[in-house]
Amino acid sequence: MTDLREMKGIGEKSLLLLKKLGIENEADLLEYYPFRYDLIKKSNLKELRDAFVIIDGVVAGVPKIFYIYKNLSKISFPLQTETHILNIVIFNRSYLKQSIKVGSCLTIFGKIDKHVKTIVASEIRFGPILKESIEPVYHTTNGISSMKIAQFIDQALKKDVYPIDFIPKEYVEKYHLLSKKESILEIHHPTSQQKLKQALRRAKYEELFLFMMKMTELKENKMMKIGLKRSIAFTKVEEVIQSLPFSLTVDQRKSIEEIYKDLSSEKRMNRLLQGDVGSGKTIVAILSMYMNYLSGYQSCLMAPTEILAHQHYDTVLNLLSSFDVHVALLTGKMKSKERREILEKIANKEVDMIIGTHALFTDDVIYNNLGLVITDEQHRFGVNQRGSLKNKGITPDVLYMSATPIPRTYALTIYGDMDISSIASPPSGRKEIITLLKKEEDLKEVLTRMLEELKQNHQIYVIAPLVEESDKIDLENVYTLEKKMNRAFGKYYKIGVLHGKMKAKEKEEVMNAFQEGSIDILISTTVIEVGINVANATMMVIFDSYRFGLSALHQLRGRVGRSDLQSYCILISNYETERLSVLTKTNDGFKISEEDFRLRGSGDLFGSRQSGTQVFKLANFKEDFSILKHAKEDACAYYKSEEFKNNFVLKELLKKSEDLD
Ligand code: ADP
Ligand code: MG
């Protein structure tokens, strides 16, 4: 495929702009798909219900131009359509004045106000609407229009050279797919709704097929990587299990067994442990580290925040106190002397388990026989942060933990390159959290309910969407809530504040105070969403709860209901949304994630996997899920086929694909 430089009308400036859009050669250009299509069809002004119209007519009077301010001009002229005389107004296109001539035919796109017979045009084209057409609209960037992109694409189409078709013949036949050429032509120049649909289906299938091929390749590569083969005396692990203050749930046991198998085999572990907030993943992590320790290796456990790292550290010390393991904490906030000492201990293998934040993976940390790396709340980390896990130690086994459960069918696809353990049900004896939906005018009732909890010496979380007042949006913030709560309870109860803008030390002090019970009401932003564990907290009140996503709300709610005490979550919102009502109906994270998926589509799921990078150009994870399922099956089969062995072009492409971790 030729360089874009050789194309007409593409200078250095356009090159840069196109590059910004991810277009670097002709193939990219041909596969730069429209993000939407407009149906160009003459509006019938009589039947008109929506305000946007496309209409053609003849200019019936000399256009007038008005300069309103320095940066605002307006052209206005009458247009005779088949049925009406309309007044057309267009802003900031003073350059059009010369070309709009009385008697010439124009097509107007814009919003009509029927009462004053005026269209405020967003676009004016010369000439009439000849026939109905479907017009592609491309994503643009400042300095390059959709029209311009269409012109470049047309130039490329003229060459009649198309990008490589990666769909194996048998699937083209099986699904009656269009050829790559037909599909690309149709996508940029649709001839009918139906044919366009076929073309898009083909392009999506190819995209998803390639995605699944990559997944399969990643999985195979990881399986091939030789990990550490250990022999672990499970009786020793059993001793720890027996010493715990609770007995493990069935799912916890199953997860531990799965991890035990992985660690014992020479296959490298690459496992995702998913389970709802409060389902008890931490103990699984601790036992995994213990197994790793028994076989003579160091482990590290990375938490997304300082607070959580401290909490895990305390938990490990506490649960393993009567066993002979050495545990260290390593965070970014440590004093350099303290840090040096710990680094030395790590390097000399005087410690077996290191708990910390991403400070665990800065360059100066030298591990000694690092055999297991665990990442807690893995969806919190960006790809890059996780990327830096590599290069340390031997080839350590890897365990990711996530509290954003994904419905299993989806998980198998998105995390197709990992093995998955799930903790589906929480430890028994827990009472379901009761979730109530309240309006701001019900505040008195909410305060009464809060008082009932406080009287029983229980603690409460209060959540606000903002830290401080904002003049842009009218939402509750931490500091006004602090005042309100102080007015209501300040005389008898202690109120604390926690948010992301505070210094780490302050945050820690507040958290500790809440943990010890010397703070009764903790007012916070979503910084407490992650992992904090205070069993005596039995109520969570979330203000302006409609502002939060479903998963975020579920995560927040998971901070309560952590003991056998009855817990409550009160969602305050003046707007009732479907999201909020889902929460009042279920506590099951898997169901909630399914609902979230239904309501919001794929964005979030992939957000968690890919930290915002768009994976698909065309396919939508949710809408095209059935295509994805086929693509997955086909990719798995094709990967094993004889044909793939000789498909060097595809192999080359897969090699280029990056590791998702
Ligand atoms: P998460 O999965 O959100 O990380 P944690 O591991 O923090 O959950 O567990 C939440 C709470 O449940 C902790 O206080 C933990 O001690 C407790 N817990 C874990 N497993 C059990 C169990 N099998 N029975 C009773 N309590 C448990
Ligand atoms: Mg946790």
Side-chain angles (χ1 to χ4, degrees):
M1 286 269 154
T2 35
D3 203 305
L4 292 175
R5 260 168 234 278
E6 290 164 29
M7 287 177 60
K8 258 194 295 182
I10 299 194
E12 289 304 319
K13 197 176 146 231
S14 309
L15 271 180
L16 275 178
L17 293 173
L18 289 172
K19 195 168 173 179
K20 225 167 128 186
L21 295 170
I23 304 170
E24 302 201 32
N25 54 45
E26 284 188 355
D28 294 341
L29 203 47
L30 292 177
E31 293 188 286
Y32 191 72
Y33 299 125
F35 78 97
R36 98 179 131 84
Y37 290 90
D38 281 343
L39 187 62
I40 308 294
K41 179 185 167 189
K42 198 183 294 190
S43 312
N44 181 344
L45 296 187
K46 280 196 195 118
E47 286 176 3
L48 202 71
R49 249 178 271 125
D50 41 41
F52 189 84
V53 295
I54 302 174
I55 193 85
D56 57 5
V58 175
V59 180
V62 182
K64 292 188 194 117
I65 187 154
F66 305 89
Y67 293 94
I68 304 167
Y69 317 109
K70 210 163 100 203
N71 294 320
L72 186 65
S73 68
K74 173 175 118 172
I75 295 178
S76 136
F77 60 91
L79 185 85
Q80 173 73 59
T81 72
E82 274 167 34
T83 48
H84 297 76
I85 285 200
L86 298 173
N87 182 37
I88 310 297
V89 171
I90 188 159
F91 289 100
N92 281 352
R93 301 297 156 84
S94 50
Y95 55 87
L96 282 177
K97 183 171 183 291
Q98 300 310 318
S99 359
I100 301 175
K101 299 219 160 70
V102 178
S104 62
C105 189
L106 301 180
T107 298
I108 311 291
F109 296 67
K111 276 206 175 134
I112 190 165
D113 184 332
K114 279 174 101 176
H115 300 296
V116 290
K117 297 211 164 105
T118 295
I119 298 180
V120 177
S122 53
E123 192 183 342
I124 292 180
R125 289 189 197 168
F126 295 92
I129 304 169
L130 292 174
K131 61 174 175 45
E132 257 183 58
S133 63
I134 307 165
E135 211 174 78
V137 184
Y138 300 92
H139 267 302
T140 59
T141 170
N142 246 346
I144 196 161
S145 65
S146 174
M147 197 94 98
K148 196 85 201 156
I149 292 172
Q151 283 169 11
F152 291 145
I153 291 174
D154 283 347
Q155 264 196 67
L157 284 170
K158 281 215 185 81
K159 294 215 175 140
D160 204 21
V161 181
Y162 294 88
I164 303 163
D165 180 353
F166 286 106
I167 308 181
K169 265 206 196 64
E170 59 172 304
Y171 304 123
V172 173
E173 282 161 19
K174 183 173 163 195
Y175 302 117
H176 308 287
L177 299 174
L178 299 181
S179 72
K180 183 122 183 179
K181 173 179 169 173
E182 276 177 300
S183 141
I184 285 184
L185 279 171
E186 183 68 23
I187 283 175
H188 297 299
H189 290 282
T191 56
S192 74
Q193 298 270 18
Q194 197 224 348
K195 181 108 188 268
L196 175 61
K197 217 169 146 186
Q198 287 179 330
L200 291 172
R201 187 168 71 106
R202 191 246 186 251
K204 286 174 180 176
Y205 177 83
E206 184 171 26
E207 199 170 33
L208 293 168
F209 176 77
L210 289 177
F211 175 75
M212 288 320 309
M213 284 299 288
K214 280 178 201 169
M215 282 295 203
T216 316
E217 167 106 337
L218 283 173
K219 181 155 190 171
E220 295 292 318
N221 279 348
K222 282 180 185 163
M223 303 245 284
M224 300 276 286
K225 266 190 202 141
I226 304 290
L228 307 167
K229 187 173 161 61
R230 322 144 204 251
S231 56
I232 303 162
F234 203 80
T235 46
K236 294 260 182 195
V237 184
E238 217 36 88
E239 278 171 27
V240 179
I241 295 176
Q242 294 313 322
S243 79
L244 296 174
F246 46 76
S247 50
L248 294 178
T249 64
V250 176
D251 287 344
Q252 280 173 327
R253 256 200 187 273
K254 190 158 156 266
S255 304
I256 288 160
E257 275 159 23
E258 283 163 348
I259 292 163
Y260 171 74
K261 273 196 197 120
D262 283 354
L263 294 180
S264 312
S265 92
E266 68 178 356
K267 185 190 116 191
R268 186 181 177 207
M269 177 164 81
N270 187 51
R271 185 171 285 280
L272 172 72
L273 172 65
Q274 56 169 1
D276 221 341
V277 224
S279 60
K281 294 183 295 294
T282 315
I283 187 62
V284 177
I286 296 174
L287 290 169
S288 306
M289 289 197 288
Y290 193 69
M291 291 190 254
N292 182 57
Y293 153 77
L294 288 176
S295 55
Y297 294 99
Q298 236 169 20
S299 322
C300 65
L301 167 60
M302 172 161 75
T305 63
E306 297 260 330
I307 296 177
L308 208 61
H310 279 269
Q311 199 172 285
H312 281 330
Y313 178 66
D314 292 339
T315 311
V316 175
L317 284 184
N318 183 16
L319 294 180
L320 297 180
S321 59
S322 47
F323 299 86
D324 180 34
V325 264
H326 297 98
V327 189
L329 177 71
L330 184 66
T331 71
K333 299 275 148 57
M334 284 177 154
K335 295 214 179 63
S336 60
K337 181 165 170 273
E338 198 184 359
R339 181 179 169 85
R340 258 200 319 276
E341 281 171 16
I342 291 175
L343 292 188
E344 221 178 279
K345 282 187 181 165
I346 296 173
N348 297 335
K349 208 156 180 261
E350 287 166 54
V351 286
D352 311 301
M353 297 177 188
I354 305 107
I355 322 287
T357 54
H358 21 264
L360 289 170
F361 298 98
T362 44
D363 283 336
D364 57 348
V365 189
I366 299 168
Y367 291 96
N368 189 329
N369 249 2
L370 182 65
L372 174 65
V373 174
I374 304 180
T375 316
D376 191 15
E377 308 290 345
Q378 72 90 24
H379 67 287
R380 284 264 155 174
F381 294 93
V383 174
N384 292 336
Q385 281 162 346
R386 275 181 280 142
S388 60
L389 290 179
K390 287 183 214 159
N391 311 326
K392 295 271 178 185
I394 330 150
T395 22
D397 289 298
V398 180
L399 179 68
Y400 298 108
M401 302 201 287
S402 170
T404 328
I406 295 170
R408 195 161 176 90
T409 36
Y410 306 135
L412 286 176
T413 328
I414 302 178
Y415 293 102
D417 56 328
M418 292 188 199
D419 295 306
I420 299 175
S421 297
S422 299
I423 306 183
S425 34
S428 59
R430 296 250 175 94
K431 293 197 178 69
E432 285 256 305
I433 301 165
I434 296 176
T435 300
L436 304 167
L437 206 50
K438 295 285 166 200
K439 294 214 160 54
E440 271 166 41
E441 63 193 42
D442 305 326
L443 189 63
K444 250 195 195 144
E445 184 199 331
V446 175
L447 293 175
T448 315
R449 285 177 180 272
M450 288 175 73
L451 184 62
E452 278 165 28
E453 292 307 304
L454 292 168
K455 277 190 195 153
Q456 299 171 62
N457 287 326
H458 297 162
Q459 289 161 282
I460 300 177
Y461 294 101
V462 174
I463 308 294
L466 297 179
V467 177
E468 289 153 11
E469 211 156 338
S470 151
D471 20 304
K472 291 201 196 78
I473 16 176
D474 180 27
L475 293 173
E476 271 308 345
N477 68 73
V478 169
Y479 288 110
T480 46
L481 275 181
E482 186 188 19
K483 279 192 204 130
K484 277 186 198 168
M485 293 300 147
N486 261 320
R487 220 177 296 140
F489 306 113
K491 229 171 158 182
Y492 307 100
Y493 298 100
K494 183 113 195 329
I495 290 152
V497 163
L498 183 77
H499 58 75
K501 290 187 182 166
M502 283 161 56
K503 294 209 180 75
K505 195 154 174 282
E506 293 172 324
K507 278 195 267 187
E508 204 184 307
E509 280 168 15
V510 174
M511 256 336 286
N512 284 341
F514 192 62
Q515 208 123 33
E516 287 162 8
S518 54
I519 288 178
D520 302 292
I521 302 176
L522 182 63
I523 303 169
S524 170
T525 55
T526 46
V527 291
I528 63 121
E529 184 190 321
V530 191
I532 284 168
N533 191 19
V534 177
N536 188 48
T538 55
M539 183 173 275
M540 168 157 293
V541 183
I542 307 176
F543 280 84
D544 289 318
S545 49
Y546 71 95
R547 294 285 299 186
F548 300 98
L550 191 44
S551 299
L553 286 169
H554 180 61
Q555 296 272 323
L556 281 167
R557 177 170 65 177
R559 298 304 120 221
V560 296
R562 301 201 142 226
S563 63
D564 49 7
L565 300 170
Q566 178 61 57
S567 287
Y568 301 89
C569 174
I570 302 181
L571 302 171
I572 300 183
S573 168
N574 279 348
Y575 311 93
E576 212 166 318
T577 67
E578 215 181 329
R579 262 176 301 161
L580 297 179
S581 67
V582 167
L583 288 166
T584 59
K585 285 178 205 130
T586 180
N587 273 298
D588 180 337
F590 284 84
K591 275 202 194 119
I592 284 168
S593 98
E594 200 122 23
E595 280 298 308
D596 205 13
F597 192 74
R598 189 177 67 77
L599 292 170
R600 276 214 285 194
S602 63
D604 251 34
L605 292 186
F606 269 110
S608 67
R609 179 78 213 237
Q610 290 263 318
S611 359
T613 5
Q614 173 127 27
V615 211
F616 301 132
K617 287 192 200 169
L618 208 53
N620 173 299
F621 194 76
K622 181 183 163 196
E623 280 159 24
D624 304 315
F625 195 72
S626 71
I627 305 181
L628 180 62
K629 274 206 304 226
H630 287 296
K632 180 181 160 72
E633 278 165 31
D634 299 342
C636 287
Y638 189 70
Y639 196 88
K640 293 187 196 113
S641 70
E642 278 305 306
E643 198 185 307
F644 177 58
K645 287 202 181 100
N646 299 311
N647 190 341
F648 298 107
V649 195
L650 180 51
K651 286 201 158 146
E652 198 54 36
L653 181 82
L654 297 183
K655 228 188 271 166
K656 273 190 243 154
S657 58
E658 282 166 54
D659 196 319
L660 287 167
D661 303 331

